[in-house]
Amino acid sequence: GWMEVLKKSAPIALRWSFHEGSSLFKALLLINLAENWDDFHSALKYWDASTFSFLYADVDGNIGYQATGKFPIRKPKHHGIVWVPGWTDEYEWQGFIPYEELPSVLNPPEGMIVAANNKVIADDTLGYYFAPGLRAKRIIDLLSDDKPLTMEDMKAIQGDVYSLDAEIIRPYLLRIKPENNYQAVVLDYVKNWDLNFER
């Protein structure tokens, strides 16, 4: 009777980890007071409002990375990307991934850390929607030169607008046979483009 009616007309229920309570301001205060990696890393365990990738560097030459936020532990077969019935406990969250288990690194052997909204671990534990890894790859390519980087090098890297995406797709575009003058002009432009996204 009533239960069946409710099931068919039930409103959408959403759950957001931020509504679980937050200690964001404590994290901000402790981050600003941090004097070393241990202080910084300890402060970030209180950053539970939204998911972020934090990068760290200090005057002693240490570099670090820490993922932060509340990542729900979901039941098997529930990925959090489609609606599921909310009137049973079949899909309830099982808590959150402990801070100590989130991706973290200090002084990796590569001598650099690259985070460009790309996926940082192989599986889908932390989510499904990330920027393609091409931006990160471009940064790695630019930083992998063996020569010491100057201030001018860093300016160029910060302002880099070269597109690996365009480099990948251009060969496919150039297979197109133009059907009119307009297409020929456009394809000629693509052929001669230096693949930099400039004005």
Side-chain angles (χ1 to χ4, degrees):
W2 279 108
M3 188 58 76
E4 291 306 310
V5 171
L6 285 172
K7 285 181 184 178
K8 290 178 182 175
S9 63
I12 294 172
L14 301 175
R15 186 173 181 188
W16 183 23
S17 58
F18 188 61
H19 288 155
E20 308 293 315
S22 174
S23 50
L24 174 64
F25 290 105
K26 180 174 183 175
L28 287 169
L29 175 64
L30 293 174
I31 289 167
N32 283 304
L33 295 174
E35 295 183 3
N36 52 48
W37 167 258
D38 290 337
D39 292 349
F40 182 77
H41 188 257
S42 295
L44 288 179
K45 74 179 171 187
Y46 299 106
W47 188 282
D48 55 4
S50 56
T51 57
F52 269 76
S53 288
F54 277 89
L55 296 172
Y56 170 89
D58 64 28
V59 295
D60 297 317
N62 297 301
I63 59 172
Y65 168 88
Q66 178 64 55
T68 62
K70 287 181 175 175
F71 295 89
I73 299 171
R74 302 179 190 277
K75 287 192 174 179
K77 298 183 181 178
H78 174 35
H79 307 292
I81 56 175
V82 296
W83 295 344
V84 293
W87 50 82
T88 73
D89 64 357
E90 186 179 356
Y91 298 99
E92 290 294 322
W93 292 354
Q94 306 300 296
F96 298 98
I97 298 172
Y99 174 69
E100 297 73 26
E101 295 178 20
L102 296 178
S104 180
V105 66
L106 177 65
N107 296 326
E110 300 83 12
M112 67 174 143
I113 300 167
V114 175
N117 298 327
N118 53 298
K119 197 172 186 178
V120 295
I121 58 173
D123 65 28
D124 294 321
T125 307
L126 302 183
Y128 291 88
Y129 302 108
F130 296 94
L134 292 172
R135 227 174 108 214
K137 182 183 183 316
R138 177 67 176 161
I139 294 168
I140 291 167
D141 290 346
L142 292 170
L143 292 176
S144 293
D145 199 337
D146 287 337
K147 70 179 180 66
L149 295 167
T150 66
M151 185 68 76
E152 291 305 311
D153 293 329
M154 292 309 297
K155 285 181 184 177
I157 290 171
Q158 289 290 325
D160 180 67
V161 291
Y162 184 81
S163 173
L164 288 177
D165 302 75
E167 182 181 300
I168 290 168
I169 199 170
R170 175 162 58 187
Y172 298 98
L173 293 174
L174 294 180
R175 290 181 189 169
I176 298 170
K177 301 293 181 210
E179 296 177 4
N180 54 50
N181 277 349
Y182 178 75
Q183 290 181 7
V185 168
V186 171
L187 288 169
D188 190 57
Y189 182 85
V190 171
K191 180 181 179 181
N192 294 303
W193 180 32
D194 65 4
L195 303 180
N196 284 291
F197 276 106
E198 292 175 336
R199 190 174 299 174

